[in-house]
Amino acid sequence: MAVEKLLLGEVIGLPTETVYGLAADAHSELAVEKIYRVKGRPSYNPLICHVSGPEMAARYVNVSSTARKLMDIFWPGPLTVVCARKPECKIADAVSAGLGTLAVRCPDNEATRAVITALNRPIAAPSANLSGKLSPTTAESVYKSLSGEIPLVVDDGQTSVGIESTIVAVDGDRITLLRPGSVSADEISDCVSLPVHDRDTSVITAPGQINSHYAPNSRILLNCDQPNGQVMIGFAGIEGDEDLNLSPDGDLKEAAHNLFEFLRIADARTDGDIVIAPIPQRGVGIAINDRLKRAAAPRTNDNKQVAND
Ligand code: AMP
Ligand code: MG
């Protein structure tokens, strides 16, 4: 069913281990354009191409030995690798938003990998939310924001990781972190015995890097140890609302798993602010704080979202 819809040029919701994706046949310029239209995503923000493994990736991009090592170690899993497109690359140009590079990842979800394998080509799939809004970690969240726009969402329960993939650009043996995720820069560096460079934050190479992003409707206040009469999301020993402690045991992976769902619950519960306990800046905590900082970033035009996703 999912494969048929994709072959017809439709866009559908598919599960991954990070968040739910809005998927289209990556060879089809028309289908990929639908992704941008349904999400309200600006055409200059490139998409991640989901592949069945390193061999499929190598059909489309130049895979250096360092890139290959990363794929072998971390795939299937939440690491996206940005490499140069091959001249003969058949992926729709819109996927790369005009860049000479392509972001590739092999998702750790059997159902979705089976769809890619059956298609025998990659699917382009950004997160299945409206641009600028919270990424969906359940099929229900996808339905709620995109119902009527897409014919199918494959439901595989709540995603395990809960935040979007780590993204690295790999040029030869130079690795640059473009977006933190559950695979940390230290882990990557240790595995390949190479430094992981920070990107030059003064240069926007892809607009997911714009500050305001992942925004709920409420204002977000970070690093609070008390609710002060507002809805509070806790962590470890700092309690929030009764059912909103990201991880009572202080487990950062559990916190990442719960993050977007708790923000959604908190957002539905208040017209006021959402206050959030401090999250340690280590391991997955770096990615959680990245998402929280963007959710809390000032928006222009009285709360109107300017950034994209
Ligand atoms: P999403 O799938 O919605 O989490 O967004 C994917 C993100 O991947 C985008 O916001 C970009 O920041 C990033 N991305 C995709 N393709 C590229 C690329 N070719 N170069 C750099 N970043 C990319
Ligand atoms: Mg997204």
Side-chain angles (χ1 to χ4, degrees):
M1 172 87 141
V3 177
E4 285 157 27
K5 297 281 181 209
L6 290 169
L7 284 172
L8 287 170
E10 308 255 25
V11 297
I12 60 171
L14 283 181
T16 81
E17 78 282 30
T18 58
V19 301
Y20 274 74
L22 186 61
D25 172 0
H27 278 204
S28 164
E29 204 71 55
L30 279 177
V32 170
E33 272 165 25
K34 261 192 212 166
I35 292 182
Y36 283 94
R37 204 164 57 237
V38 168
K39 271 184 73 89
R41 182 177 178 116
S43 58
Y44 53 75
N45 190 3
L47 310 175
I48 296 173
C49 234
H50 293 70
V51 295
S52 56
E55 289 73 24
M56 187 181 275
R59 285 195 227 151
Y60 301 95
V61 292
N62 294 321
V63 180
S64 68
S65 63
T66 297
R68 177 64 199 227
K69 249 189 233 167
L70 291 176
M71 292 170 182
D72 287 341
I73 294 167
F74 292 103
W75 285 6
L79 179 71
T80 296
V81 182
V82 175
C83 302
R85 285 171 73 113
K86 285 185 163 171
E88 69 272 25
C89 178
K90 287 208 172 71
I91 300 297
D93 285 338
V95 174
S96 294
L99 301 171
T101 52
L102 183 70
V104 286
R105 176 171 106 79
C106 177
D108 190 8
N109 179 285
E110 272 181 33
T112 293
R113 274 209 316 281
V115 168
I116 299 167
T117 302
L119 266 183
N120 192 27
R121 52 185 190 245
I123 51 175
S127 50
N129 52 287
L130 294 175
S131 185
K133 297 295 183 187
L134 296 170
S135 297
T137 54
T138 62
E140 195 192 351
S141 292
V142 181
Y143 273 120
K144 274 193 182 146
S145 61
L146 301 177
S147 67
E149 299 286 344
I150 55 177
L152 176 72
V153 182
V154 175
D155 188 347
D156 194 27
Q158 184 165 357
T159 64
S160 55
V161 174
I163 55 173
E164 305 84 347
S165 60
T166 305
I167 305 180
V168 288
V170 181
D171 184 4
D173 62 4
R174 187 180 173 86
I175 306 173
T176 308
L177 182 69
L178 300 183
R179 176 173 75 185
S182 65
V183 176
S184 71
D186 286 347
E187 250 177 289
I188 294 169
S189 181
D190 288 351
C191 282
V192 290
S193 304
L194 286 169
V196 173
H197 300 273
D198 282 333
R199 82 187 159 84
D200 176 354
T201 47
S202 63
V203 183
I204 305 275
T205 50
Q209 299 153 2
I210 291 171
N211 273 344
S212 174
H213 209 74
Y214 307 111
N217 296 318
S218 314
R219 193 165 65 132
I220 302 270
L221 302 175
L222 304 179
N223 298 315
C224 300
D225 51 15
Q226 304 206 43
N228 289 324
Q230 307 292 336
V231 171
M232 175 153 180
I233 296 179
F235 176 76
I238 300 185
E239 286 301 333
D241 283 26
E242 198 186 343
D243 54 340
L244 293 182
N245 190 323
L246 287 169
S247 171
D249 296 334
D251 175 342
L252 289 166
K253 290 212 178 225
E254 184 184 12
H257 169 79
N258 287 325
L259 181 69
F260 286 130
E261 201 51 29
F262 282 17
L263 280 170
R264 232 179 232 108
I265 295 169
D267 206 21
R269 204 172 275 177
T270 182
D271 290 326
D273 298 337
I274 301 171
V275 303
I276 303 185
I279 309 293
Q281 184 68 359
R282 60 180 151 75
V284 198
I286 295 171
I288 296 173
N289 283 322
D290 168 77
R291 306 307 189 271
L292 286 174
K293 217 169 69 193
R294 290 159 193 268
R299 302 163 215 172
T300 58
N301 290 347
D302 291 329
N303 237 14
K304 271 233 183 71
Q305 191 67 42
V306 279
N308 43 74
D309 178 14

